[in-house]
Amino acid sequence: MPIPAATQPDLSPMTAHPTADPNSDEAQDRAGGAAVPFWAGWSTRTRLILVVLAIDLFAALVSCGVIVLTARQAVQVEMAASLATVEPLVADTIRSLRSPSPESVLHTLDLRFQALRHVRVAILDADGRRVGFGPSEQGREQRRAPRWFVRLIAPEPRQHDLPILVRGERIGTAAITTQPLDEIEEVWGYARSLSLASLILNLAVLAALYLALGRILRPLGRLAEGLTRLERHDYTAHLDPPASRELSVIAERFNRVAGALAEARAANGRLNRQLLTAQDDERARIALELHDEFGPCLFALEANAASVARLAASPGEIDRGRLAARAGDIGSIVGQVQVLNRDLLNRLRPHGLGEVPLADCLSLLLRDFQRRHPETVFEGAFEGLARGYGDIVDLTVFRCIQESSTNAVRHGGARHVRARVAEETDAAGVTILRLSVEDDGTGIAPGHRVGLGLSGMRERVEALGGHLGLAAASLDNDTSGTVVRITLPIEPERDGSEVPPPPAAPQLK
């Protein structure tokens, strides 16, 4: 559908480039010298309207080509038909005259040929002089079609001289010249009307498209505002679902993402508070142990040291028996301090983790639990494990078994605890560690609260992309209990083939 260039709507306000974000990918591409299309900053509405305009222009060119080709063929057909009509018309005119004298025949033919279309006929007498007014003196109306249009359609002019014979004698000549302007002006009038109608229709379509796109794309503006709010950590952003089904799905997904981010932020806040509480609790426990365990030992050491000093400073012979007893007391207290120190250091940082195989560290952990809780049986199955899976994974496995065993004894009153760790490969070919800790304690109480230990385990596991589950279970058929199941994916660079870390400084034994 043709649209003259002079009447096309001015879209310059719409094509203005928005303020560029210096951190955007587009700005970085420009800074890096990458080629950026000139339309990169245009709005979606502008691009769609320009696409429609391009389609209209292409359709207009095709329409003009079809009109020109069709008009050229039609003009040629009309010219041929008009030339074929002139000769029979001359014969019929001569036959229709009762007394055909040369002058009457020539004048009659001149008058009759003025009504012909697509050809111009000049009547010449026997001497070659023009009879009547001729084709150029008839007051032809001014041509309306422009010259460029005429040059596109008009065929090469053809001229034919037809002799005029009366009773076998030539009395003159009819000079016939093709004249396609009549047909071309008809085609021009049709093309102009079609162009005007197409222009009006296209302007109406563009106006409707501009308004429709503004209405359709308005939710995208609200989506951009919502994303800006999310970028500013305002997770209360909410989008009302628009009428469009596709945009409604986007709005629904946006609201879900905003809700998930709000929940994650609240969970992070709770975790931060729990971490602060856990740090304070751990410091309080360490301070209590230092006061209750190390304090008496240090006081006893001080008392025995003072007694040794008094025995050494007493006059007379030194009582070697009493001195040996005090030395034995000091050695016993030092041994107790070493045990307390090793337990405290092992709780702060598991001794040997990363230096010896993981299975040995876990076995030592259960052996230590057995020593401290002789009334409970601790079993472990750690066959088939690699030497280590990386410091973070090893420490997570160690802490999860440590915390689960502590909960089984402290809160469940368990008499039997079984820990298992196995390396497996799932259906997708990913290596995973399956960890389970089962006990025969009192089980999970209804409405139990998640403590700091369990929440800390869950955060550790989920930070590594794993999963933690807590359920009721039993090691036998007579008692209830609890089972903690954990799965941890193992990254390739964290398998047992990695280079072990350098050994730590030696601990006091």
Side-chain angles (χ1 to χ4, degrees):
M1 290 177 284
I3 301 180
T7 58
Q8 291 182 4
D10 183 11
L11 300 178
S12 56
M14 298 166 49
T15 58
H17 291 273
T19 302
D21 184 3
N23 297 323
S24 64
D25 294 340
E26 179 184 346
Q28 293 176 1
D29 289 342
R30 288 174 178 170
V36 179
F38 66 91
W39 61 82
W42 295 355
S43 65
T44 302
R45 179 194 287 183
T46 302
R47 296 186 184 187
L48 290 175
I49 290 179
L50 290 179
V51 168
V52 173
L53 282 175
I55 294 174
D56 284 345
L57 291 175
F58 179 75
L61 293 176
V62 173
S63 300
C64 290
V66 172
I67 291 175
V68 169
L69 292 178
T70 304
R72 287 177 67 90
Q73 294 177 358
V75 168
Q76 291 175 0
V77 170
E78 290 290 340
M79 296 303 99
S82 299
L83 286 175
T85 303
V86 173
E87 188 170 354
L89 184 59
V90 171
D92 291 342
T93 303
I94 294 173
R95 283 196 301 268
S96 65
L97 297 176
R98 295 183 180 179
S99 57
S101 63
E103 292 186 3
S104 61
V105 170
L106 295 178
H107 282 285
T108 301
L109 290 174
D110 182 66
L111 293 175
R112 176 164 291 189
F113 287 153
Q114 301 307 316
L116 293 180
R117 288 168 52 83
H118 311 310
V119 292
R120 297 294 177 261
V121 181
I123 304 300
L124 305 177
D125 58 14
D127 297 329
R129 295 189 299 271
R130 183 175 297 171
V131 177
F133 298 101
S136 59
E137 293 87 12
Q138 300 296 322
R140 300 284 301 167
E141 62 182 29
Q142 189 176 3
R143 184 173 60 191
R144 294 175 297 172
R147 293 183 180 275
W148 61 267
F149 190 76
V150 173
R151 284 195 297 268
L152 283 175
I153 297 179
E156 291 295 329
R158 296 170 56 186
Q159 186 169 352
H160 177 63
D161 293 336
L162 179 65
I164 302 174
L165 303 175
V166 176
R167 299 185 186 94
E169 182 183 355
R170 180 172 182 172
I171 64 172
T173 303
I176 307 170
T177 305
T178 57
Q179 182 57 262
L181 286 179
D182 294 334
E183 187 69 20
I184 292 176
E185 288 179 357
E186 290 182 3
V187 175
W188 171 251
Y190 167 76
R192 189 173 57 179
S193 300
L194 179 62
S195 300
L196 182 60
S198 299
L199 175 61
I200 295 174
L201 178 61
N202 277 278
L203 290 177
V205 169
L206 288 175
L209 185 62
Y210 181 83
L211 296 176
L213 289 176
R215 188 177 184 87
I216 293 173
L217 298 177
R218 189 177 298 119
L220 295 181
R222 292 197 292 266
L223 175 62
E225 295 175 0
L227 292 174
T228 302
R229 293 177 61 183
L230 291 184
E231 184 182 3
R232 296 172 180 172
H233 307 289
D234 181 8
Y235 302 131
T236 61
H238 178 81
L239 297 180
D240 296 329
S244 174
R245 183 178 61 182
E246 293 80 3
L247 295 179
S248 177
V249 172
I250 295 176
E252 181 182 358
R253 296 293 187 273
F254 174 87
N255 294 334
R256 290 183 181 179
V257 169
L261 291 175
E263 292 178 2
R265 185 178 188 180
N268 287 336
R270 291 193 299 269
L271 178 61
N272 289 332
R273 290 191 294 272
Q274 290 175 355
L275 289 176
L276 293 176
T277 303
Q279 290 176 356
D280 292 339
D281 291 345
E282 185 67 21
R283 289 167 182 164
R285 282 197 297 268
I286 293 175
L288 183 62
E289 290 186 9
L290 291 175
H291 179 271
D292 294 344
E293 302 291 343
F294 284 87
C297 290
L298 294 175
F299 178 76
L301 286 175
E302 183 183 10
N304 281 281
S307 177
V308 169
R310 285 196 301 271
L311 289 174
S314 61
E317 187 178 357
I318 297 175
D319 188 350
R320 297 181 180 276
R322 293 181 61 186
L323 191 62
R326 296 294 180 273
D329 292 341
I330 291 175
S332 176
I333 295 171
V334 169
Q336 185 178 357
V337 170
Q338 287 179 336
V339 171
L340 294 174
N341 180 69
R342 185 164 52 249
D343 291 342
L344 182 59
L345 292 176
N346 198 39
R347 193 173 73 225
L348 295 176
R349 168 69 186 184
H351 175 65
L353 194 64
E355 302 177 18
V356 298
L358 176 62
D360 295 344
C361 289
L362 298 180
S363 299
L364 289 174
L365 174 64
L366 295 183
R367 192 180 307 166
D368 184 65
F369 268 103
Q370 187 69 66
R371 178 181 60 80
R372 290 186 284 114
H373 305 282
E375 70 281 358
T376 303
V377 177
F378 292 88
E379 296 181 3
F382 311 120
E383 293 80 9
L385 297 180
R387 177 181 177 85
Y389 299 94
D391 189 58
I392 297 179
V393 175
D394 292 352
L395 184 59
T396 299
V397 172
F398 187 93
R399 291 302 188 196
C400 288
I401 294 180
Q402 184 183 47
E403 185 64 29
S404 300
S405 300
T406 301
N407 291 338
V409 175
R410 180 182 301 172
H411 303 296
R415 297 299 178 182
H416 193 179
V417 178
R418 179 183 300 163
R420 295 180 179 178
V421 180
E423 179 181 328
E424 300 178 2
T425 302
D426 61 7
V430 178
T431 302
I432 58 175
L433 285 181
R434 292 194 182 277
L435 183 153
S436 65
V437 179
E438 301 177 73
D439 65 72
D440 61 351
T442 58
I444 303 174
H448 76 287
R449 293 183 57 191
V450 178
L452 293 177
L454 185 59
S455 63
M457 280 197 303
R458 188 183 302 278
E459 292 296 334
R460 283 178 179 270
V461 171
E462 291 180 353
L464 296 177
H467 174 73
L468 182 146
L470 185 66
S474 176
L475 292 175
D476 52 54
N477 296 328
D478 298 331
T479 60
S480 61
T482 304
V483 58
V484 178
R485 293 189 176 90
I486 296 173
T487 59
L488 285 174
I490 304 301
E491 299 180 5
E493 65 271 14
R494 290 182 176 176
D495 57 12
S497 61
E498 68 178 357
V499 178
Q507 305 273 351
L508 277 178
K509 301 280 177 118

